[in-house]
Amino acid sequence: MDTRRIVALLVEEAEQLIQDQVWKLEPDDRALALEAATGLRDAIRPADAQEALPQVDRLAHLRETLAVLAIALARTHGRMAWFLSGVLHALEPVLRWRALPADGGGTFGTVLPTPEEYVEAEDAVRRLQDALAKIATEPH
């Protein structure tokens, strides 16, 4: 299963829990969701702009999204933490990616991602950004 699909499933679960009022969003959840959504939007540009960047910049932007999510995770608990943890796990392959050639040396287990893997991860982040923005504005 690709990253995009895993994130979509997590978002669907979150939306269902909110709709069923199992996950009762607190003001802190909404504020954190807005802050994370903004950070993700700042890191990952629209598809055409993102895909025009050199791979090293695309990878840097994806790593920035992991930092945004990790900081958000560190500042919450309960269902929001569980949701963010699941999303971070789905995006975990990005941690093993590299954009530069090895030039004959060791790579510490990193791999060169395919162009499709960049697109999948970036699409997943955009889907997550939309979901967090919706959580931030979900009616009480």
Side-chain angles (χ1 to χ4, degrees), residues 13-34:
E13 181 180 357
E15 289 171 345
Q16 190 64 53
L17 289 170
I18 292 167
Q19 180 182 332
D20 294 346
Q21 297 185 359
V22 172
W23 182 1
K24 295 179 182 7
L25 295 168
E26 300 294 330
D28 288 347
D29 290 331
R30 295 173 200 284
L32 187 68
L34 179 60

Side-chain angles (χ1 to χ4, degrees), residues 78-101:
R79 284 193 167 76
M80 179 62 83
W82 305 339
F83 175 58
L84 294 174
S85 176
V87 171
L88 276 163
H89 182 67
L91 291 167
E92 181 269 336
V94 171
L95 294 173
R96 294 186 312 272
W97 292 359
R98 62 183 164 86
L100 303 175

Side-chain angles (χ1 to χ4, degrees), residues 25 29-31 33-35 37 131-138:
L25 295 168
D29 290 331
R30 295 173 200 284
L34 179 60
E35 186 177 326
L132 288 168
K134 184 177 175 185
I135 287 171
T137 59
E138 193 73 27

Side-chain angles (χ1 to χ4, degrees), residues 108-122:
F108 302 99
T110 59
V111 297
L112 292 169
T114 66
E116 179 57 28
E117 287 173 313
Y118 277 107
V119 171
E120 285 178 17
E122 291 161 350

Side-chain angles (χ1 to χ4, degrees), residues 2-3 9 18 34 39 56 58 62 73 79 82-83 94 104 125:
D2 70 35
T3 302
L9 289 171
I18 292 167
L34 179 60
V56 70
R58 289 177 78 180
L62 283 166
L73 175 60
R79 284 193 167 76
W82 305 339
F83 175 58
V94 171
V125 170

